[in-house]
Amino acid sequence: MTTTYEAVARRLRDAYAGGVVAPLRDTLEPTDAEGAYAIQTINARFWEAQGRRIVGRKAGLTAKAVQAQLGVDQPDFGVLFDDMRVADGGTLDPARTIQPKAEAEIAFILGADLPDTDTTAEQVAKAVASVHAAIEIVDSRIADWKISFADTVADNGSSAFFVLADQGLPLAGLDLEGAAMEMAINGVIASTGLGAAALGNPLNAAAWLAQTLAGRGEPLKAGDILLAGALGPMVTLTPGDHVEVRIAGIGACSFTYQD
């Protein structure tokens, strides 16, 4: 099966430059997590060998409604590379994307390692160095976003880019569950939500991520960036869009989708 996974991994890599591919049903059953993560790992290692540096992870499918939509009962994750970061207030060239959407998230930067497979939300809280408002720009190499769980996992969690607020806050005293989010496109509110959308609390999503990665022998480390999952609906991007996210009590960040 390794040869087949290598071929699918290359198909996905080529799609970044050559355009979308059909859903991966010829290789992966829709809920085949093992095969999908094997493909994701092949590409992560390929990109590392090309000089890209891993700076953290993203959690996806943290909303129960989205899990139900894809017929799964668990979140997923993808790898964040250094060249995926867009400066707060910066620009993202539309030529670098295929069919992008923006979603608002709460992000953590870790100040300590999380090596245990039974990491709790409380242990994550102790390890968090700072909390940031964030935007994930998701994208899909799968045509028309017709994704299954396996498709999005294999495709690095349908990841593309992310924005992290320059200003972070210490976790102590923050209400992550009740934090109200607004995402505005060109000054008009396009998405709203709460911190509780991420598995009830973004710390729960981070704990799931820590447990899962520790179990895979790839534990989270001090300095890692964690995107803890969408707080509200995704919004499709159009060239020229200015996107700003405000999360009550936590902060704001923005970028412009233009060359």
Side-chain angles (χ1 to χ4, degrees):
M1 216 40 190
T2 304
T3 303
T4 303
Y5 290 161
E6 291 277 1
V8 174
R10 178 163 186 168
R11 193 190 311 171
L12 288 169
R13 290 199 307 272
D14 289 348
Y16 280 81
V20 295
V21 298
L24 309 176
R25 309 290 193 269
D26 59 334
T27 305
L28 297 173
E29 291 297 322
T31 57
D32 182 2
E34 183 179 353
Y37 279 117
I39 292 166
Q40 183 188 124
T41 299
I42 288 168
N43 276 341
R45 288 176 179 161
F46 175 89
W47 286 319
E48 279 192 288
Q50 299 296 303
R52 299 178 74 186
R53 183 171 61 89
I54 293 175
V55 294
R57 297 293 196 283
K58 59 153 283 182
L61 304 182
T62 51
K64 294 297 184 183
V66 180
Q67 291 181 18
Q69 186 179 20
L70 292 183
V72 297
D73 60 359
Q74 60 180 314
D76 73 342
F77 70 83
V79 178
L80 300 179
F81 290 95
D82 55 347
D83 57 1
M84 293 168 63
R85 185 166 179 173
V86 176
D88 186 5
T91 60
L92 172 61
D93 186 346
R96 300 180 68 193
T97 64
I98 302 171
Q99 42 188 356
K101 304 173 186 285
E103 56 188 34
E105 308 203 7
I106 288 172
F108 304 114
I109 296 180
L110 294 182
D113 298 350
L114 291 171
D116 299 329
T117 55
D118 57 356
T119 296
T120 64
E122 291 74 22
Q123 289 171 319
V124 172
K126 291 177 182 176
V128 168
S130 56
V131 182
H132 301 251
I135 304 167
E136 185 181 5
I137 299 93
V138 293
D139 205 346
S140 182
R141 273 54 65 178
I142 307 299
D144 300 321
W145 277 94
K146 290 189 169 28
I147 57 171
S148 67
F149 178 77
D151 289 319
T152 188
V153 168
D155 191 22
N156 197 30
S158 302
S159 64
F161 299 94
F162 66 95
V163 181
L164 206 64
D166 287 336
Q167 299 300 315
L169 296 174
L171 178 59
L174 298 184
D175 176 13
L176 298 184
E177 286 184 30
M181 175 279 292
E182 291 184 339
M183 181 164 62
I185 308 292
N186 304 321
V188 178
I189 301 299
S191 179
T192 61
L194 291 173
L199 289 184
N201 186 313
L203 290 172
N204 295 337
W208 174 85
L209 201 50
Q211 294 164 9
T212 302
L213 290 166
R216 295 173 62 86
E218 306 169 25
L220 293 168
K221 304 279 192 183
D224 279 350
I225 299 166
L226 310 184
L227 299 182
L231 306 186
M234 301 183 294
V235 177
T236 299
L237 293 175
T238 301
D241 282 346
H242 176 72
V243 182
E244 182 178 13
V245 162
R246 298 181 291 272
I247 303 177
I250 292 173
C253 60
S254 66
F255 77 100
T256 303
Y257 185 57
Q258 66 181 26
D259 57 18

